Amino acid sequence: MAKETIIMDRINLIDVFEGISLPRLLHTQETVHDATNFQFQDTDILLVTYPKSGTVWTQQILSLILNKEDIQNTITKPTWERAPWIEQVHLWEFLAQNNASKPRLFTTHLPSKLLIHNLKNSKVRVVYMIRNPKDVLVSYYHFHKFSKFLPDIDSFEAFFDQFLEGKVSFGSWFDHTKGWLGVQEELNFFLITYEELSQEPHQAIQNLCKFLGQQLEPEQLESIVHYCSFSFMSQNDKLNFTLVPPEIFDHSVGKFMRKGTTENWKEFFSPEQNARFNKVYQAEMGNLTSKFSWSLY
Ligand code: PPS
């Protein structure tokens, strides 16, 4: 079957796996099931994110750290090939291309309950990237507008409610975050926030290096800071998703590299929505809130 036919067959479909809805363009019941039994190696690095938290940004940084001697060649490859999602249909194709690299770098949006049994007795380095959920909501809303493989949304107001209720692809942000933070003691785990990476990229990258057991020369650090900047990534067609065909992303409606800032939610939330969000956030997150470097106000 032609690739285009497969894409069109799957484009509008959403599957539910263990109560979590996932776009069928990139996932099947089988690929997600296989991800839950994925054979990790102790040297592997797994980037874990809820969607729209800065996944591609962190894929870029981690892969550049691991390939610090060969940065120019590395940036010519798309990030999704350098750090494939373990739950997606293209995993094995990308894994075959990167077969020889050690350590291997993977990504997942899956919740901890689907992976913890497989990770907890391993030495896999888990990097958990999180972002102010208000900005995640706004970014996810815009992503739905131009992604043809996600359900249509009626309005920002409607999406706001769906997000708070966890009725979006990959489920509730609150469950994802509480789930992964709840198992961190059982893992070789490192927490990084979008906000600290925005505010202090040098320090945040150095912290990541320490966790990964890597060292950078000053010029390598400067180079990585440059190549992971929003200005570089958003202008580079290997990284900004503009080469994704229009059947998948309607580029006339929006862009993947949209703003790349913190606190963009302030331009979208009404005072009433903000008060509702804060109430749910407080009730869901309780005393975990002190861990994060973002401001909700
Ligand atoms: S996805 O679809 O889940 O993989 O999306 P994800 O990569 O997690 O998140 C996309 C948002 O990350 C922003 N982004 C960046 N911000 C700052 N610096 C860099 N280099 C960068 N690269 C990507 C991207 O613009 C999306 O956020 P918004 O707020 O929509 O701009």
Side-chain angles (χ1 to χ4, degrees), residues 49-61 85 88 107 109 129 131 135-136 138-143 146-147 149-150 170 194 197-198 225-234 239 241 249 255-262 264:
T49 60
Y50 185 83
K52 314 322 290 179
S53 300
T55 319
V56 172
W57 190 13
T58 319
Q59 288 174 328
Q60 170 83 338
I61 294 169
W85 271 262
Q88 291 190 0
T107 305
H109 286 324
M129 167 68 153
R131 181 182 193 185
D135 286 326
V136 171
V138 169
S139 181
Y140 217 178
Y141 163 70
H142 287 92
F143 191 58
F146 69 90
S147 298
F149 57 89
L150 290 172
F170 291 97
Y194 184 103
L197 201 45
S198 297
V225 170
H226 168 71
Y227 288 120
C228 80
S229 65
F230 188 78
S231 55
F232 177 79
M233 289 183 68
S234 59
L239 299 169
F241 293 80
F249 283 158
K255 19 187 199 182
F256 188 97
M257 297 286 176
R258 189 184 59 91
K259 281 265 179 192
T261 56
T262 57
N264 185 228

Short mmCIF file of all heavy atoms in Angstrom, two decimals, residues 49-61 85 88 107 109 129 131 135-136 138-143 146-147 149-150 170 194 197-198 225-234 239 241 249 255-262 264, ligand 1:
data_model
loop_
_atom_site.label_atom_id
_atom_site.label_comp_id
_atom_site.label_asym_id
_atom_site.label_seq_id
_atom_site.Cartn_x
_atom_site.Cartn_y
_atom_site.Cartn_z
N THR A 49 8.41 13.07 28.44
CA THR A 49 7.71 14.36 28.49
C THR A 49 6.22 14.14 28.30
O THR A 49 5.80 13.21 27.62
CB THR A 49 8.14 15.29 27.33
OG1 THR A 49 7.83 14.65 26.09
CG2 THR A 49 9.60 15.65 27.37
N TYR A 50 5.44 15.05 28.85
CA TYR A 50 4.05 15.20 28.41
C TYR A 50 4.14 16.05 27.13
O TYR A 50 5.01 16.93 27.03
CB TYR A 50 3.25 15.93 29.51
CG TYR A 50 1.79 16.04 29.19
CD1 TYR A 50 0.93 14.98 29.47
CD2 TYR A 50 1.27 17.18 28.59
CE1 TYR A 50 -0.42 15.07 29.16
CE2 TYR A 50 -0.08 17.26 28.28
CZ TYR A 50 -0.92 16.20 28.57
OH TYR A 50 -2.26 16.29 28.26
N PRO A 51 3.24 15.81 26.13
CA PRO A 51 3.35 16.59 24.89
C PRO A 51 3.39 18.10 25.14
O PRO A 51 2.78 18.61 26.09
CB PRO A 51 2.06 16.22 24.14
CG PRO A 51 1.71 14.86 24.65
CD PRO A 51 2.15 14.82 26.09
N LYS A 52 4.13 18.77 24.29
CA LYS A 52 4.27 20.23 24.26
C LYS A 52 5.05 20.82 25.44
O LYS A 52 4.91 21.99 25.78
CB LYS A 52 2.91 20.94 24.14
CG LYS A 52 1.97 20.39 23.10
CD LYS A 52 2.61 19.94 21.82
CE LYS A 52 3.16 21.01 20.94
NZ LYS A 52 3.79 20.40 19.71
N SER A 53 5.90 19.97 26.02
CA SER A 53 6.68 20.43 27.18
C SER A 53 8.11 20.81 26.80
O SER A 53 8.90 21.17 27.69
CB SER A 53 6.74 19.31 28.23
OG SER A 53 5.45 18.98 28.64
N GLY A 54 8.45 20.71 25.51
CA GLY A 54 9.83 21.01 25.11
C GLY A 54 10.58 19.74 24.73
O GLY A 54 11.82 19.67 24.84
N THR A 55 9.85 18.76 24.23
CA THR A 55 10.45 17.47 23.87
C THR A 55 11.53 17.62 22.81
O THR A 55 12.67 17.14 22.99
CB THR A 55 9.34 16.53 23.30
OG1 THR A 55 8.15 16.69 24.06
CG2 THR A 55 9.78 15.09 23.27
N VAL A 56 11.18 18.27 21.71
CA VAL A 56 12.11 18.35 20.57
C VAL A 56 13.34 19.17 20.95
O VAL A 56 14.47 18.85 20.56
CB VAL A 56 11.36 18.96 19.35
CG1 VAL A 56 12.32 19.25 18.22
CG2 VAL A 56 10.26 18.00 18.91
N TRP A 57 13.12 20.18 21.74
CA TRP A 57 14.23 21.00 22.25
C TRP A 57 15.20 20.11 23.04
O TRP A 57 16.43 20.16 22.85
CB TRP A 57 13.62 22.08 23.14
CG TRP A 57 14.52 23.17 23.59
CD1 TRP A 57 15.76 23.47 23.12
CD2 TRP A 57 14.21 24.14 24.59
NE1 TRP A 57 16.24 24.57 23.78
CE2 TRP A 57 15.32 25.00 24.69
CE3 TRP A 57 13.12 24.37 25.42
CZ2 TRP A 57 15.36 26.06 25.58
CZ3 TRP A 57 13.14 25.43 26.31
CH2 TRP A 57 14.26 26.28 26.38
N THR A 58 14.65 19.29 23.92
CA THR A 58 15.51 18.44 24.76
C THR A 58 16.14 17.31 23.95
O THR A 58 17.28 16.91 24.21
CB THR A 58 14.71 17.89 25.96
OG1 THR A 58 13.88 18.93 26.47
CG2 THR A 58 15.62 17.42 27.07
N GLN A 59 15.40 16.81 22.94
CA GLN A 59 16.02 15.82 22.03
C GLN A 59 17.25 16.42 21.38
O GLN A 59 18.30 15.77 21.25
CB GLN A 59 15.03 15.41 20.93
CG GLN A 59 13.88 14.53 21.39
CD GLN A 59 12.88 14.30 20.27
OE1 GLN A 59 12.67 15.17 19.41
NE2 GLN A 59 12.24 13.15 20.26
N GLN A 60 17.10 17.66 20.94
CA GLN A 60 18.23 18.35 20.29
C GLN A 60 19.42 18.44 21.26
O GLN A 60 20.55 18.09 20.92
CB GLN A 60 17.76 19.75 19.84
CG GLN A 60 18.84 20.69 19.36
CD GLN A 60 19.23 20.49 17.90
OE1 GLN A 60 19.01 19.42 17.34
NE2 GLN A 60 19.83 21.49 17.29
N ILE A 61 19.15 18.88 22.48
CA ILE A 61 20.24 19.08 23.45
C ILE A 61 20.91 17.75 23.80
O ILE A 61 22.14 17.63 23.77
CB ILE A 61 19.70 19.77 24.73
CG1 ILE A 61 19.25 21.18 24.38
CG2 ILE A 61 20.75 19.77 25.85
CD1 ILE A 61 18.45 21.85 25.48
N TRP A 85 10.72 7.89 19.45
CA TRP A 85 9.71 7.57 20.47
C TRP A 85 9.53 6.05 20.53
O TRP A 85 9.29 5.42 19.48
CB TRP A 85 8.38 8.20 20.09
CG TRP A 85 8.13 9.58 20.57
CD1 TRP A 85 7.41 9.93 21.68
CD2 TRP A 85 8.54 10.82 19.97
NE1 TRP A 85 7.36 11.32 21.80
CE2 TRP A 85 8.04 11.87 20.77
CE3 TRP A 85 9.29 11.14 18.83
CZ2 TRP A 85 8.26 13.21 20.47
CZ3 TRP A 85 9.51 12.47 18.53
CH2 TRP A 85 9.00 13.49 19.35
N GLN A 88 6.11 4.74 19.04
CA GLN A 88 5.65 5.10 17.70
C GLN A 88 5.99 4.05 16.64
O GLN A 88 6.92 3.25 16.80
CB GLN A 88 6.24 6.46 17.29
CG GLN A 88 5.62 7.58 18.11
CD GLN A 88 5.98 8.97 17.60
OE1 GLN A 88 6.70 9.13 16.62
NE2 GLN A 88 5.47 9.99 18.28
N THR A 107 12.79 8.51 23.35
CA THR A 107 11.81 9.46 23.87
C THR A 107 10.51 8.72 24.15
O THR A 107 10.21 7.72 23.47
CB THR A 107 11.54 10.55 22.81
OG1 THR A 107 12.78 11.15 22.44
CG2 THR A 107 10.61 11.63 23.33
N HIS A 109 6.19 9.70 25.48
CA HIS A 109 5.16 10.52 26.14
C HIS A 109 4.31 9.64 27.06
O HIS A 109 3.36 10.13 27.66
CB HIS A 109 4.20 11.11 25.11
CG HIS A 109 4.71 12.25 24.29
ND1 HIS A 109 5.56 13.22 24.76
CD2 HIS A 109 4.43 12.60 23.00
CE1 HIS A 109 5.79 14.10 23.78
NE2 HIS A 109 5.13 13.75 22.72
N MET A 129 11.33 15.98 31.48
CA MET A 129 11.26 17.42 31.14
C MET A 129 9.83 17.89 31.38
O MET A 129 8.90 17.33 30.80
CB MET A 129 11.65 17.57 29.67
CG MET A 129 11.33 18.92 29.06
SD MET A 129 12.39 20.18 29.77
CE MET A 129 12.46 21.39 28.47
N ARG A 131 7.02 21.40 31.99
CA ARG A 131 6.81 22.80 31.65
C ARG A 131 5.55 23.28 32.36
O ARG A 131 4.62 22.49 32.59
CB ARG A 131 6.61 22.89 30.12
CG ARG A 131 6.40 24.27 29.57
CD ARG A 131 6.16 24.23 28.07
NE ARG A 131 6.27 25.55 27.48
CZ ARG A 131 6.02 25.84 26.20
NH1 ARG A 131 5.66 24.87 25.36
NH2 ARG A 131 6.13 27.07 25.74
N ASP A 135 1.28 26.91 30.00
CA ASP A 135 1.90 27.08 28.67
C ASP A 135 1.76 25.80 27.84
O ASP A 135 1.63 25.88 26.61
CB ASP A 135 3.39 27.44 28.82
CG ASP A 135 3.57 28.89 29.27
OD1 ASP A 135 2.75 29.74 28.87
OD2 ASP A 135 4.53 29.16 30.02
N VAL A 136 1.78 24.65 28.51
CA VAL A 136 1.55 23.39 27.78
C VAL A 136 0.16 23.43 27.14
O VAL A 136 -0.02 23.10 25.97
CB VAL A 136 1.66 22.17 28.75
CG1 VAL A 136 1.21 20.89 28.06
CG2 VAL A 136 3.09 22.02 29.25
N VAL A 138 -1.68 25.98 26.23
CA VAL A 138 -1.75 26.93 25.09
C VAL A 138 -1.02 26.35 23.88
O VAL A 138 -1.51 26.40 22.74
CB VAL A 138 -1.15 28.30 25.51
CG1 VAL A 138 -0.96 29.20 24.30
CG2 VAL A 138 -2.06 28.96 26.54
N SER A 139 0.14 25.76 24.11
CA SER A 139 0.91 25.17 23.01
C SER A 139 0.12 24.00 22.38
O SER A 139 0.06 23.86 21.15
CB SER A 139 2.26 24.69 23.54
OG SER A 139 3.04 24.14 22.53
N TYR A 140 -0.48 23.18 23.23
CA TYR A 140 -1.25 22.01 22.76
C TYR A 140 -2.47 22.47 21.95
O TYR A 140 -2.82 21.87 20.94
CB TYR A 140 -1.69 21.19 23.98
CG TYR A 140 -1.69 19.69 23.79
CD1 TYR A 140 -2.03 18.84 24.86
CD2 TYR A 140 -1.35 19.08 22.59
CE1 TYR A 140 -2.02 17.46 24.74
CE2 TYR A 140 -1.34 17.69 22.45
CZ TYR A 140 -1.69 16.89 23.53
OH TYR A 140 -1.68 15.51 23.40
N TYR A 141 -3.11 23.53 22.41
CA TYR A 141 -4.26 24.09 21.68
C TYR A 141 -3.85 24.47 20.25
O TYR A 141 -4.49 24.09 19.28
CB TYR A 141 -4.80 25.30 22.44
CG TYR A 141 -5.70 26.19 21.63
CD1 TYR A 141 -6.98 25.77 21.26
CD2 TYR A 141 -5.28 27.45 21.21
CE1 TYR A 141 -7.80 26.59 20.50
CE2 TYR A 141 -6.08 28.27 20.45
CZ TYR A 141 -7.34 27.83 20.10
OH TYR A 141 -8.15 28.62 19.33
N HIS A 142 -2.75 25.18 20.13
CA HIS A 142 -2.30 25.60 18.79
C HIS A 142 -1.87 24.39 17.95
O HIS A 142 -2.10 24.36 16.74
CB HIS A 142 -1.17 26.63 18.90
CG HIS A 142 -1.66 27.96 19.34
ND1 HIS A 142 -1.70 28.34 20.66
CD2 HIS A 142 -2.21 28.99 18.65
CE1 HIS A 142 -2.22 29.55 20.76
NE2 HIS A 142 -2.53 29.97 19.55
N PHE A 143 -1.28 23.43 18.61
CA PHE A 143 -0.84 22.21 17.89
C PHE A 143 -2.05 21.49 17.28
O PHE A 143 -2.00 20.98 16.16
CB PHE A 143 -0.10 21.31 18.88
CG PHE A 143 0.62 20.15 18.26
CD1 PHE A 143 1.60 20.34 17.31
CD2 PHE A 143 0.35 18.84 18.65
CE1 PHE A 143 2.29 19.26 16.74
CE2 PHE A 143 1.03 17.76 18.10
CZ PHE A 143 2.00 17.98 17.14
N PHE A 146 -3.31 22.89 13.79
CA PHE A 146 -2.68 22.58 12.49
C PHE A 146 -2.33 21.10 12.30
O PHE A 146 -1.95 20.69 11.20
CB PHE A 146 -1.46 23.48 12.23
CG PHE A 146 -0.27 23.21 13.11
CD1 PHE A 146 0.70 22.29 12.72
CD2 PHE A 146 -0.09 23.88 14.29
CE1 PHE A 146 1.82 22.05 13.51
CE2 PHE A 146 1.02 23.65 15.09
CZ PHE A 146 1.97 22.74 14.71
N SER A 147 -2.49 20.29 13.34
CA SER A 147 -2.18 18.86 13.21
C SER A 147 -3.43 18.13 12.74
O SER A 147 -4.43 18.09 13.44
CB SER A 147 -1.77 18.27 14.56
OG SER A 147 -0.63 18.90 15.01
N PHE A 149 -3.84 15.01 12.45
CA PHE A 149 -4.02 13.70 13.06
C PHE A 149 -4.59 13.79 14.48
O PHE A 149 -4.71 12.79 15.17
CB PHE A 149 -2.70 12.90 13.06
CG PHE A 149 -1.56 13.60 13.76
CD1 PHE A 149 -1.34 13.45 15.11
CD2 PHE A 149 -0.69 14.41 13.02
CE1 PHE A 149 -0.28 14.08 15.74
CE2 PHE A 149 0.37 15.05 13.64
CZ PHE A 149 0.58 14.89 15.01
N LEU A 150 -4.93 15.00 14.91
CA LEU A 150 -5.55 15.17 16.23
C LEU A 150 -6.99 15.64 16.02
O LEU A 150 -7.30 16.25 15.00
CB LEU A 150 -4.77 16.21 17.05
CG LEU A 150 -3.38 15.75 17.51
CD1 LEU A 150 -2.62 16.90 18.15
CD2 LEU A 150 -3.47 14.57 18.48
N PHE A 170 -2.78 11.45 25.21
CA PHE A 170 -1.83 11.16 26.29
C PHE A 170 -2.37 11.48 27.68
O PHE A 170 -1.65 11.43 28.66
CB PHE A 170 -0.45 11.81 26.04
CG PHE A 170 0.26 11.16 24.89
CD1 PHE A 170 0.20 11.70 23.64
CD2 PHE A 170 0.91 9.95 25.07
CE1 PHE A 170 0.80 11.07 22.55
CE2 PHE A 170 1.51 9.31 23.99
CZ PHE A 170 1.46 9.86 22.73
N TYR A 194 11.33 23.33 31.51
CA TYR A 194 11.41 24.21 30.33
C TYR A 194 11.86 25.60 30.78
O TYR A 194 12.66 26.26 30.11
CB TYR A 194 10.02 24.27 29.70
CG TYR A 194 9.88 25.05 28.42
CD1 TYR A 194 9.78 24.39 27.19
CD2 TYR A 194 9.78 26.44 28.42
CE1 TYR A 194 9.62 25.10 26.01
CE2 TYR A 194 9.62 27.16 27.25
CZ TYR A 194 9.55 26.48 26.04
OH TYR A 194 9.37 27.20 24.87
N LEU A 197 15.60 25.86 31.57
CA LEU A 197 16.34 25.80 30.31
C LEU A 197 16.23 27.13 29.57
O LEU A 197 17.19 27.59 28.94
CB LEU A 197 15.77 24.66 29.46
CG LEU A 197 16.61 24.07 28.35
CD1 LEU A 197 18.04 23.80 28.76
CD2 LEU A 197 15.96 22.77 27.87
N SER A 198 15.07 27.78 29.65
CA SER A 198 14.90 29.09 29.00
C SER A 198 15.74 30.15 29.70
O SER A 198 16.36 30.99 29.05
CB SER A 198 13.45 29.57 29.10
OG SER A 198 12.60 28.73 28.43
N VAL A 225 24.52 25.52 23.13
CA VAL A 225 23.59 26.61 23.47
C VAL A 225 23.10 27.30 22.19
O VAL A 225 21.92 27.59 22.03
CB VAL A 225 24.25 27.63 24.44
CG1 VAL A 225 23.39 28.87 24.60
CG2 VAL A 225 24.51 26.98 25.80
N HIS A 226 24.02 27.51 21.25
CA HIS A 226 23.64 28.15 19.99
C HIS A 226 22.67 27.27 19.19
O HIS A 226 21.60 27.72 18.76
CB HIS A 226 24.89 28.45 19.15
CG HIS A 226 24.57 28.84 17.75
ND1 HIS A 226 23.99 30.04 17.42
CD2 HIS A 226 24.72 28.15 16.58
CE1 HIS A 226 23.80 30.11 16.12
NE2 HIS A 226 24.23 28.98 15.58
N TYR A 227 23.04 25.99 19.01
CA TYR A 227 22.23 25.13 18.14
C TYR A 227 20.89 24.70 18.78
O TYR A 227 20.03 24.16 18.08
CB TYR A 227 23.02 23.90 17.69
CG TYR A 227 24.09 24.27 16.68
CD1 TYR A 227 25.44 24.02 16.93
CD2 TYR A 227 23.73 24.87 15.48
CE1 TYR A 227 26.41 24.38 16.00
CE2 TYR A 227 24.70 25.23 14.54
CZ TYR A 227 26.03 24.98 14.81
OH TYR A 227 26.98 25.34 13.89
N CYS A 228 20.73 24.92 20.08
CA CYS A 228 19.42 24.58 20.67
C CYS A 228 18.59 25.84 20.90
O CYS A 228 17.48 25.75 21.44
CB CYS A 228 19.59 23.78 21.96
SG CYS A 228 19.97 24.77 23.41
N SER A 229 19.08 26.98 20.45
CA SER A 229 18.30 28.21 20.67
C SER A 229 17.05 28.19 19.79
O SER A 229 17.04 27.57 18.72
CB SER A 229 19.16 29.43 20.33
OG SER A 229 19.44 29.42 18.96
N PHE A 230 16.03 28.86 20.25
CA PHE A 230 14.80 28.93 19.47
C PHE A 230 15.07 29.57 18.12
O PHE A 230 14.55 29.14 17.09
CB PHE A 230 13.71 29.70 20.23
CG PHE A 230 12.38 29.63 19.58
CD1 PHE A 230 11.58 28.49 19.68
CD2 PHE A 230 11.90 30.69 18.82
CE1 PHE A 230 10.35 28.40 19.06
CE2 PHE A 230 10.66 30.61 18.18
CZ PHE A 230 9.89 29.47 18.31
N SER A 231 15.91 30.60 18.11
CA SER A 231 16.18 31.28 16.83
C SER A 231 16.82 30.32 15.83
O SER A 231 16.45 30.30 14.66
CB SER A 231 17.03 32.53 17.03
OG SER A 231 18.20 32.18 17.70
N PHE A 232 17.76 29.49 16.27
CA PHE A 232 18.37 28.53 15.33
C PHE A 232 17.36 27.45 14.93
O PHE A 232 17.15 27.18 13.75
CB PHE A 232 19.63 27.89 15.92
CG PHE A 232 20.21 26.85 14.99
CD1 PHE A 232 20.98 27.24 13.90
CD2 PHE A 232 19.93 25.49 15.16
CE1 PHE A 232 21.47 26.29 13.00
CE2 PHE A 232 20.41 24.55 14.26
CZ PHE A 232 21.19 24.94 13.18
N MET A 233 16.72 26.84 15.93
CA MET A 233 15.86 25.68 15.63
C MET A 233 14.65 26.08 14.78
O MET A 233 14.23 25.34 13.89
CB MET A 233 15.42 24.99 16.93
CG MET A 233 16.58 24.26 17.60
SD MET A 233 16.11 23.34 19.08
CE MET A 233 15.09 22.04 18.43
N SER A 234 14.09 27.26 15.05
CA SER A 234 12.88 27.63 14.32
C SER A 234 13.18 28.02 12.86
O SER A 234 12.29 28.01 12.02
CB SER A 234 12.13 28.76 15.03
OG SER A 234 12.97 29.87 15.16
N LEU A 239 14.63 20.90 11.54
CA LEU A 239 14.22 20.88 12.95
C LEU A 239 12.85 21.50 13.20
O LEU A 239 12.25 21.26 14.24
CB LEU A 239 15.25 21.67 13.79
CG LEU A 239 16.67 21.14 13.79
CD1 LEU A 239 17.61 22.15 14.41
CD2 LEU A 239 16.73 19.83 14.56
N PHE A 241 9.98 21.28 11.46
CA PHE A 241 8.82 20.50 11.01
C PHE A 241 8.12 21.09 9.78
O PHE A 241 7.03 20.65 9.43
CB PHE A 241 7.80 20.27 12.14
CG PHE A 241 8.33 19.39 13.25
CD1 PHE A 241 9.18 19.89 14.23
CD2 PHE A 241 8.00 18.04 13.30
CE1 PHE A 241 9.68 19.09 15.24
CE2 PHE A 241 8.50 17.22 14.31
CZ PHE A 241 9.34 17.74 15.28
N PHE A 249 0.51 18.19 8.67
CA PHE A 249 0.50 19.52 9.32
C PHE A 249 0.00 20.55 8.30
O PHE A 249 0.61 20.70 7.23
CB PHE A 249 1.90 19.94 9.75
CG PHE A 249 2.42 19.28 11.02
CD1 PHE A 249 3.79 19.22 11.26
CD2 PHE A 249 1.57 18.74 11.97
CE1 PHE A 249 4.29 18.63 12.42
CE2 PHE A 249 2.06 18.14 13.12
CZ PHE A 249 3.42 18.08 13.35
N LYS A 255 2.38 26.83 13.25
CA LYS A 255 3.70 26.23 13.15
C LYS A 255 4.10 25.52 14.44
O LYS A 255 3.68 25.95 15.53
CB LYS A 255 4.80 27.22 12.78
CG LYS A 255 4.53 28.65 12.97
CD LYS A 255 5.68 29.46 12.39
CE LYS A 255 5.61 30.84 13.01
NZ LYS A 255 6.56 31.76 12.55
N PHE A 256 4.92 24.50 14.26
CA PHE A 256 5.39 23.72 15.42
C PHE A 256 6.23 24.62 16.33
O PHE A 256 6.03 24.67 17.54
CB PHE A 256 6.22 22.53 14.93
CG PHE A 256 6.58 21.59 16.03
CD1 PHE A 256 5.83 20.45 16.26
CD2 PHE A 256 7.66 21.85 16.86
CE1 PHE A 256 6.15 19.58 17.30
CE2 PHE A 256 7.99 20.99 17.90
CZ PHE A 256 7.23 19.85 18.12
N MET A 257 7.19 25.32 15.73
CA MET A 257 8.02 26.26 16.50
C MET A 257 7.25 27.58 16.54
O MET A 257 7.46 28.46 15.71
CB MET A 257 9.38 26.46 15.81
CG MET A 257 10.20 25.21 15.72
SD MET A 257 10.90 24.79 17.31
CE MET A 257 11.69 23.23 16.91
N ARG A 258 6.36 27.70 17.47
CA ARG A 258 5.37 28.76 17.47
C ARG A 258 5.91 30.01 18.16
O ARG A 258 6.12 31.04 17.54
CB ARG A 258 4.09 28.24 18.17
CG ARG A 258 2.87 29.11 18.08
CD ARG A 258 1.75 28.50 18.90
NE ARG A 258 2.14 28.36 20.31
CZ ARG A 258 1.94 29.28 21.25
NH1 ARG A 258 1.33 30.39 20.96
NH2 ARG A 258 2.35 29.07 22.52
N LYS A 259 6.16 29.93 19.47
CA LYS A 259 6.63 31.09 20.25
C LYS A 259 7.93 30.79 20.97
O LYS A 259 8.81 31.62 21.05
CB LYS A 259 5.60 31.44 21.32
CG LYS A 259 4.41 32.21 20.83
CD LYS A 259 4.65 33.68 21.04
CE LYS A 259 3.48 34.49 20.52
NZ LYS A 259 3.82 35.89 20.46
N GLY A 260 7.96 29.60 21.62
CA GLY A 260 9.16 29.21 22.35
C GLY A 260 9.43 30.07 23.57
O GLY A 260 10.59 30.31 23.92
N THR A 261 8.38 30.54 24.22
CA THR A 261 8.57 31.41 25.38
C THR A 261 7.87 30.85 26.62
O THR A 261 7.07 29.92 26.51
CB THR A 261 7.99 32.82 25.13
OG1 THR A 261 6.62 32.66 24.77
CG2 THR A 261 8.72 33.55 24.04
N THR A 262 8.14 31.48 27.75
CA THR A 262 7.42 31.13 28.98
C THR A 262 6.34 32.19 29.22
O THR A 262 6.44 33.32 28.73
CB THR A 262 8.38 31.11 30.19
OG1 THR A 262 9.00 32.39 30.30
CG2 THR A 262 9.47 30.06 30.01
N ASN A 264 3.37 32.50 28.05
CA ASN A 264 2.52 32.91 26.93
C ASN A 264 1.03 32.73 27.28
O ASN A 264 0.16 33.33 26.66
CB ASN A 264 2.91 32.07 25.70
CG ASN A 264 2.19 32.47 24.43
OD1 ASN A 264 1.66 31.64 23.71
ND2 ASN A 264 2.15 33.76 24.14
S1 PPS B 1 5.73 17.56 20.93
O1 PPS B 1 4.78 17.65 19.78
O2 PPS B 1 5.06 17.02 22.12
O3 PPS B 1 6.95 16.84 20.60
O4 PPS B 1 6.08 19.10 21.23
P1 PPS B 1 7.27 19.59 22.17
O5 PPS B 1 8.54 19.53 21.41
O6 PPS B 1 7.21 18.89 23.48
O7 PPS B 1 6.87 21.10 22.47
C1 PPS B 1 6.78 22.08 21.47
C2 PPS B 1 6.98 23.41 22.18
O8 PPS B 1 8.38 23.57 22.48
C3 PPS B 1 8.81 24.79 21.89
N1 PPS B 1 10.23 24.71 21.51
C4 PPS B 1 11.18 25.51 22.02
N2 PPS B 1 11.13 26.47 22.97
C5 PPS B 1 12.29 27.12 23.25
N3 PPS B 1 13.47 26.88 22.64
C6 PPS B 1 13.56 25.93 21.68
N4 PPS B 1 14.72 25.70 21.07
C7 PPS B 1 12.38 25.19 21.35
N5 PPS B 1 12.11 24.20 20.47
C8 PPS B 1 10.79 23.92 20.58
C9 PPS B 1 7.88 24.96 20.69
O9 PPS B 1 7.95 26.27 20.17
C10 PPS B 1 6.55 24.60 21.32
O10 PPS B 1 6.09 25.58 22.25
P2 PPS B 1 5.14 26.81 21.87
O11 PPS B 1 4.76 27.43 23.18
O12 PPS B 1 3.96 26.25 21.14
O13 PPS B 1 5.95 27.74 21.02
#
